Amino acid sequence: PRLSLVREGIRICREEDVDFILAVGGGSVIDSAKAIAMGVPYEGDVWDFYTGKADPQTVLPVGVVLTIPAAGSESSTGSVITNEEGWYKRACNSLLIIPRFAVMDPELTYTLPPFQTAAGATDIMAHVMERYFTNVLHVDLTDRLCEATLRTVMKYVPIALEDPENYDARAEIMWAGTIAHNNLLNTGRIGDWASHDIEHELSGIYDVAHGAGLAVVIPAWMTYVHKHNLNRFVQFAMRVFDVEYDFDDPERTALEGIARLKAYFQSTGLAVTLKGLDIGEDRLEEMARKCTEDGTVGNLKKLDAKDVLEIYRLAR
């Protein structure tokens, strides 16, 4: 989703007196539509909303026809845009930009290429895991909802890859994508979101599909932070991947869960290393610096530029 195209959309809407925007597509299309909706009535630069300089006060209504389950933007408060000046990819959140409606027809996803199906599903899973890995206690109900959503996605993605026109598989994935990011699973929790911030630098600079970047970043992030809240990673391994608890070495249980997640991503055809994405080491420090320009990232464990750099290195 490019800022230059958002600005062009704002110009067209103003010239043509457009009063409603229909987003037909996936996350980039919907996020761009939301940005245009915020920018049309705003007197300043729409990028102000993505740098925290301003909050939207009024927006054009947006509707959605979803064609790829992934970003969950069809029912979320968020919009993510890439500014080509510096290749910064940043998010804006507001209740005002939740779409007025979303048409979700699984048949519209039949023609998705396997890569987009897999990358989209990884984005869905990432939205769940960002919420799942929390330091907040006594959130067992939403823990179980998160775990069920993850297991559902992992069950049906292989079916959709094998049989692209399997309506039931496509429907389960599409519904999971909406549930994953409409904040239902966020109830009572403080999510992490470091993996998203870290990945945004990959997709912002290298134009990597967001889900494909997350398949690389999430296992590396987990490996780096798992000791900070070992019990939660052990629970994740046991409940999501049926890892048997190692009474002698609980950490081994957690690491096995991370390994199985990584193997699952690989099984869907995604790369799980930066090398697999054809990304070298020349800009790792730049990405770590840009990721933390506004301060630390993450909530499970606060990460500074040195931490983020180590995660990029683990992802090589």
Side-chain angles (χ1 to χ4, degrees):
R2 296 283 187 257
L3 180 61
S4 60
L5 294 176
V6 168
R7 287 171 173 159
E8 175 68 5
I10 292 170
R11 181 191 65 78
I12 292 171
C13 284
R14 288 173 175 170
E15 287 184 357
E16 302 296 333
D17 198 25
V18 171
D19 59 6
F20 170 77
I21 303 172
L22 181 65
V24 183
S28 294
V29 171
I30 303 168
D31 285 5
S32 297
K34 289 177 174 180
I36 294 168
M38 290 187 288
V40 171
Y42 181 58
E43 294 184 359
D45 183 5
V46 67
W47 187 243
D48 291 347
F49 298 130
Y50 295 85
T51 58
K53 293 181 180 179
D55 295 314
Q57 301 301 315
T58 182
V59 303
L60 295 184
V62 173
V64 172
V65 177
L66 185 64
T67 63
I68 171 171
S73 194
E74 67 275 5
S75 64
S76 80
T77 62
S79 167
V80 178
I81 298 294
T82 297
N83 186 341
E84 297 96 324
E85 295 182 13
W87 296 106
Y88 285 91
K89 187 173 183 180
R90 296 293 183 263
C92 169
N93 283 278
S94 171
L95 292 171
L96 296 179
I97 59 174
I98 298 175
R100 301 297 179 90
F101 66 83
V103 175
M104 297 169 57
D105 181 357
E107 292 186 11
L108 296 179
T109 70
Y110 284 176
T111 56
L112 283 174
F115 171 77
Q116 292 294 346
T117 297
T122 300
D123 194 5
I124 293 169
M125 292 177 64
H127 287 155
V128 179
M129 289 185 283
E130 294 282 23
R131 294 170 165 89
Y132 186 81
F133 289 101
T134 180
N135 291 320
V136 179
L137 301 175
H138 309 299
V139 286
D140 195 51
L141 175 59
T142 43
D143 275 353
R144 299 288 186 176
L145 293 174
C146 288
E147 293 152 5
T149 305
L150 291 170
R151 292 178 70 107
T152 298
V153 172
M154 290 191 294
K155 174 182 177 179
Y156 285 101
V157 167
I159 296 173
L161 292 174
E162 178 70 23
D163 179 11
E165 295 190 8
N166 186 305
Y167 182 93
D168 294 325
R170 293 292 192 180
E172 295 284 358
I173 296 168
M174 180 173 272
W175 184 224
T178 295
I179 293 297
H181 207 38
N182 68 0
N183 279 333
L184 171 64
L185 303 184
N186 207 52
T187 307
R189 315 173 73 93
I190 298 174
D192 184 71
W193 298 103
S195 294
H196 265 66
D197 289 332
I198 294 168
E199 195 290 320
H200 281 168
E201 303 307 323
L202 297 181
S203 50
I205 292 174
Y206 295 100
D207 205 27
V208 173
H210 183 46
L214 287 166
V216 172
V217 169
I218 289 175
W221 170 83
M222 288 180 163
T223 302
Y224 189 77
V225 307
H226 72 275
K227 291 182 180 180
H228 179 74
N229 192 332
L230 185 60
N231 288 340
R232 180 147 289 275
F233 282 89
V234 168
Q235 176 179 292
F236 172 80
M238 295 176 64
R239 292 186 181 178
V240 177
F241 286 99
D242 298 322
V243 178
E244 187 174 346
Y245 184 67
D246 190 325
F247 288 91
D248 295 324
D249 188 356
E251 185 181 2
R252 186 179 299 175
T253 306
L255 292 174
E256 176 62 22
I258 297 169
R260 292 190 189 185
L261 176 66
K262 193 171 182 178
Y264 169 77
F265 289 151
Q266 285 182 301
S267 74
T268 65
L270 297 179
V272 291
T273 64
L274 291 176
K275 183 179 180 180
L277 294 176
D278 294 323
I279 294 175
E281 301 179 30
D282 55 315
R283 301 185 73 172
L284 298 186
E285 291 187 4
E286 175 192 349
M287 291 192 294
R289 173 184 55 79
K290 288 173 63 180
C291 181
T292 56
E293 276 186 2
D294 297 325
T296 59
V297 296
N299 289 307
L300 185 85
K301 177 177 171 58
K302 301 290 185 181
L303 305 174
D304 60 19
K306 291 182 180 178
D307 296 314
V308 173
L309 180 58
E310 286 304 310
I311 291 171
Y312 283 133
R313 287 172 173 164
L314 282 171
R316 290 181 296 181

